[in-house]
Amino acid sequence: MTYRAHFRAITVLGLPLIGGHLAQFAIGLTDTVMLGWYGVEALAAVTLASSYFFVLFLFGSGFGLAVMPMVAMAAAEEDETNIRRSTRMGLWLSLIYGALMMPLLWWSHPILIALKQEPEVAAMASEYLRIAGWGLFPALLMMVLKSYLAALERTQIVLWIAVAAALVNGVTNYALIFGNWGAPELGVTGAAIASVVTQIVSLLCVIAYTVRIMPEHSLFQRFWRPDWDMFQRVLRLGVPIGFTTLAEASLFAMSAIMMGWLGKVPLAAHGIALNLASATFMVHLGLSNVATIRAGNALGRRDRGHLERGAIAVTGMSLIMSALAIALFLIYAEPLISLFIENNDPLRPQILAIGTGLLAMAALFQLVDGAQIIALGLLRGLQDAKVPMVIAVISYWLVGISTSYYFGFVQGMGGVGVWLGLVVGLACAAALLMVRFWTRSVRAVGVPAE
């Protein structure tokens, strides 16, 4: 394929995935906006709770992410049996993991207190997690099934289900947070219920589609029967992917905890800035998924030339998106932050001042954040997960968290310093992962490009 053909193929496959990620992001954005209208303390609590939840979710999503390259490779090899086996064992592992994590969600309050969060915010966050935690099961199962469909290039349905979920979440939030349409006013509890309802509806929709449109894979027939060989294969790939994702998620979760040490106003500003940065990151994440799928296909065909040209094309598209995001955050910082705050909120000036500085840092890490997730997508497609896991732990935990603490508290830079540490950790990961892909992993695939 020419570069033009690669760009076209990436766009056709990637746009629905990007749209799906943006629709999924809209769910969290809706929570942030509506809770921001409800009160700063509620926004701070759910910012903290969401960071806690997603640390657990993103580690468990490693099994779903492992399914994507395995299905893509099996599809390239026209191996229908392994498509079914890998997907089914990904579902098994997700259910087992969810059951193991529920105690951490149910008894989150003492953990949040031990992390030195404000007692009122910690109590409200734990109230949210006791309900929203049940959404971990459908969320993890959805991750597996979305990976299965995306690897088979069934990306349109992934998009439409995500859009439907965002609409369900918005309507349910509006009713239950504020007590509209005759519903009780439940505040943070209402947001938690809406989250669980949304996850369940999404899962039922994707199961119905899979059973009806792709019956040849028989994913749910004799679902109870174990397949220990494939179980171990998904586990061996999924655990390091999960740890890699956990390392990155922990960097951002720890940043939320550090912002909580600074007070509820910096934490609320952090939640707003992080939501805005996450919106642009969804584009890079969609491109990363495309990189995984197409690298998995290239691995199945042993076609290094296709892999190299595709990697250059998808990295270039990510860089273009980063440049656009940098311009957006630097030019329109205050109007963007204002979308999340009521005009008459007495804390509005403080949140705007802090949030503007954080968005400047978000602009700074756009390039490196996009580069590291694209590199991870390419490496996952080649089922290279163990060394990237080590790189992630070093970059995000040893480098990122320590520099966030150093700049934020030792140097007294506050929230901007915490976010500067994020930039350093992401830059370290981006450099090491790209070097790993181009100097090592790509050479293990077939014949080089002519």
Side-chain angles (χ1 to χ4, degrees):
M1 293 175 65
T2 63
Y3 283 109
R4 182 186 294 272
H6 273 288
F7 283 123
R8 186 183 303 113
I10 291 167
T11 301
V12 170
L13 183 58
L15 282 178
L17 288 173
I18 292 168
H21 285 307
L22 286 171
Q24 189 68 35
F25 159 77
I27 294 174
L29 180 64
T30 302
D31 290 348
T32 301
V33 171
M34 291 191 179
L35 287 163
W37 294 342
Y38 193 75
V40 171
E41 189 171 83
L43 174 59
V46 175
T47 297
L48 181 64
S50 297
S51 297
Y52 184 100
F53 178 91
F54 278 106
V55 166
L56 302 180
F57 166 73
L58 289 173
F59 178 76
S61 70
F63 303 119
L65 293 171
V67 165
M68 188 181 290
M70 296 177 78
V71 170
M73 182 177 176
E77 296 172 338
E78 299 182 355
D79 188 345
E80 300 286 331
T81 301
N82 273 343
I83 291 175
R84 177 178 63 252
R85 292 175 66 206
S86 58
T87 305
R88 186 178 289 174
M89 288 303 100
L91 294 170
W92 266 51
L93 283 160
S94 296
L95 287 170
I96 293 168
Y97 174 82
L100 293 173
M101 292 301 107
M102 275 308 297
L104 294 178
L105 291 160
W106 189 258
W107 288 291
S108 61
H109 185 256
I111 298 172
L112 295 174
I113 291 295
L115 292 171
K116 299 182 179 179
Q117 298 304 295
E118 293 184 4
E120 297 83 2
V121 174
M124 198 177 290
S126 63
E127 175 190 342
Y128 176 90
L129 287 168
R130 281 201 167 196
I131 298 170
W134 292 103
L136 184 63
F137 291 101
L140 290 173
L141 297 177
M142 267 293 293
M143 177 63 73
V144 175
L145 294 174
K146 286 196 299 184
S147 294
Y148 154 79
L149 291 170
L152 297 175
E153 302 192 10
R154 298 270 183 163
T155 54
Q156 291 287 342
I157 187 62
V158 173
L159 167 62
W160 293 120
I161 288 174
V163 170
L167 292 174
V168 169
N169 183 72
V171 170
T172 314
N173 260 332
Y174 187 69
L176 295 179
I177 292 175
F178 302 101
N180 291 310
W181 304 320
E185 181 182 336
L186 299 176
V188 168
T189 301
I193 294 170
S195 175
V196 176
V197 168
T198 300
Q199 298 290 2
I200 291 173
V201 169
S202 301
L203 179 62
L204 292 176
C205 288
V206 77
I207 288 175
Y209 175 87
T210 302
V211 170
R212 179 176 176 82
I213 304 300
M214 309 180 77
E216 66 274 14
H217 293 152
S218 306
L219 291 183
F220 302 101
Q221 292 181 18
R222 296 184 295 277
F223 183 77
W224 53 269
R225 293 182 62 181
D227 180 351
W228 297 120
D229 176 61
M230 184 57 73
F231 183 94
Q232 292 176 11
R233 288 170 60 187
V234 177
L235 182 67
R236 283 196 300 268
L237 183 58
V239 167
I241 289 177
F243 267 115
T244 302
T245 311
L246 173 64
E248 182 180 5
S250 297
L251 173 62
F252 286 93
M254 193 62 202
S255 71
I257 290 168
M258 290 183 195
M259 296 299 285
W261 296 343
L262 296 170
K264 66 182 180 183
V265 173
L267 182 57
H270 171 83
I272 293 170
L274 193 57
N275 269 280
L276 291 168
S278 296
T280 57
F281 179 73
M282 293 302 108
V283 179
H284 300 296
L285 185 58
L287 292 173
S288 176
N289 293 154
V290 175
T292 297
I293 295 163
R294 293 177 63 76
N297 290 156
L299 179 63
R301 294 194 304 271
R302 308 295 187 267
D303 188 346
R304 191 196 299 183
H306 180 80
L307 172 64
E308 291 173 342
R309 287 188 292 271
I312 292 170
V314 76
T315 302
M317 293 175 76
S318 176
L319 289 173
I320 292 169
M321 182 58 213
S322 294
L324 294 173
I326 289 169
L328 181 68
F329 289 162
L330 292 179
I331 297 171
Y332 298 105
E334 191 165 314
L336 288 171
I337 296 167
S338 297
L339 296 173
F340 296 81
I341 317 167
E342 289 279 21
N343 289 330
N344 58 358
D345 193 315
L347 297 174
R348 176 186 173 89
Q350 297 177 55
I351 294 175
L352 281 174
I354 296 170
T356 301
L358 297 184
L359 273 190
M361 289 295 103
L364 191 58
F365 75 53
Q366 284 299 306
L367 285 171
V368 291
D369 202 15
Q372 62 89 22
I373 198 63
I374 294 297
L376 279 173
L378 291 166
L379 291 166
R380 285 170 186 165
L382 301 180
Q383 300 185 31
D384 181 2
K386 291 182 181 178
V387 172
M389 175 185 69
V390 175
I391 290 172
V393 169
I394 293 170
S395 300
Y396 303 136
W397 289 358
L398 297 183
V399 177
I401 292 176
S402 61
T403 53
S404 284
Y405 182 82
Y406 175 76
F407 288 125
F409 297 92
V410 177
Q411 292 297 317
M413 295 174 65
V416 170
V418 171
W419 276 55
L420 182 57
L422 299 181
V423 176
V424 175
L426 292 166
C428 180
L432 293 175
L433 291 168
M434 279 294 182
V435 168
R436 170 72 181 179
F437 175 76
W438 286 107
T439 64
R440 176 86 177 186
S441 302
V442 74
R443 296 181 179 180
V445 180
V447 179
E450 295 180 0

